[in-house]
Amino acid sequence: MPSSNVQVRTGGHPDLALAERCRQDAPGAFEELYRLNAPRLFGLAYRLVGPQEAEDLLQEIFLAAHRKLSLYKGDSSLGTWLFRLATNQCLDYLRSKRARLALLTEGFEHDPNARGSSAGAIVGVVERMDLGRALALLPPGARAVFVLHDVEGCEHREVAEHLGISDGTSKSQLHKARMRLRSLLAAARTTERP
């Protein structure tokens, strides 16, 4: 029987073949992976980090996917694996952005010359707010849970798995996100009325 240099893996998800083609730099394979998954991952990034950063972050997500494709073992669909990778990339981005923002605004909290309250500033922003803007005001963890559960349709156990939290924490964060969004959107409607 003639031997072959191609190794065939048995078991695993059918997407394993596409992943293997990408690993071997087969012509068009990574383009196919991108075309199949970019719209959903862009939507996720758009909702988690906002429109300005989503496109750049999508490119970073696929660069990370290219580097980490050897970690895909076919236990789930390639789309699910990429979604988890994208969620982590978005959360890492939000954490680093939050840390940079905290450093920039650190002195304002204790500045006696700073006028106005944060509630007043929020109401001013909320006047022209839609759901996307309201989402941007949520803490990253609550935003991620809300987007994964209410927008993407993941179950709490899936959200917990994606984010590395417990089911109970997912439920709690979702409740807090919904309550905060209701509050922000109600305030926006109240301030928009003549």
Side-chain angles (χ1 to χ4, degrees):
M1 188 150 91
S3 66
S4 170
N5 290 339
V6 177
Q7 291 182 337
V8 177
R9 294 183 186 183
T10 57
H13 198 276
D15 287 347
L16 200 52
L18 175 58
E20 198 59 43
R21 288 182 25 235
C22 289
R23 289 180 196 131
Q24 295 174 1
D25 292 326
F30 203 79
E31 181 182 340
E32 180 181 347
L33 178 74
Y34 184 89
R35 190 175 22 81
L36 290 171
N37 295 283
R40 183 173 184 220
L41 299 182
F42 178 78
L44 175 70
Y46 184 93
R47 287 184 288 279
L48 285 176
V49 303
Q52 289 79 22
E53 295 92 352
E55 197 167 314
D56 289 339
L57 196 53
L58 181 66
Q59 299 309 313
E60 290 180 33
I61 289 165
F62 277 99
L63 286 172
H66 190 269
R67 285 191 310 270
K68 297 179 179 186
L69 207 50
S70 63
L71 301 174
Y72 176 69
K73 304 298 181 205
D75 298 330
S76 62
S77 76
L78 196 48
T80 299
W81 182 83
L82 286 168
F83 191 84
R84 180 175 298 135
L85 179 80
T87 301
N88 290 335
Q89 288 279 119
C90 290
L91 292 175
D92 288 346
Y93 174 81
L94 289 171
R95 284 184 202 111
S96 69
K97 182 178 180 181
R98 188 176 186 188
R100 287 190 308 266
L101 184 59
L103 287 174
L104 291 173
T105 60
E106 190 173 86
F108 292 121
E109 292 177 13
H110 305 292
D111 184 356
N113 298 321
R115 297 181 182 228
S117 69
S118 60
I122 290 173
V123 171
V125 170
V126 172
E127 288 176 355
R128 297 171 304 277
M129 186 176 301
D130 62 0
L131 181 59
R133 290 187 191 122
L135 277 172
L137 294 176
L138 292 177
R143 182 183 329 152
V145 170
F146 180 84
V147 168
L148 291 174
H149 186 274
D150 283 7
V151 177
E152 293 294 332
C154 295
E155 297 294 326
H156 281 291
R157 66 173 175 69
E158 294 172 303
V159 173
E161 185 179 313
H162 283 308
L163 301 178
I165 59 177
S166 70
D167 289 9
T169 300
S170 173
K171 291 174 185 175
S172 171
Q173 288 291 321
L174 180 62
H175 177 72
K176 289 176 185 175
R178 287 176 176 168
M179 297 306 289
R180 181 73 176 138
L181 287 171
R182 280 187 195 125
S183 169
L184 291 170
L185 294 172
R189 278 186 292 249
T190 302
T191 58
E192 288 175 358
R193 291 183 186 150

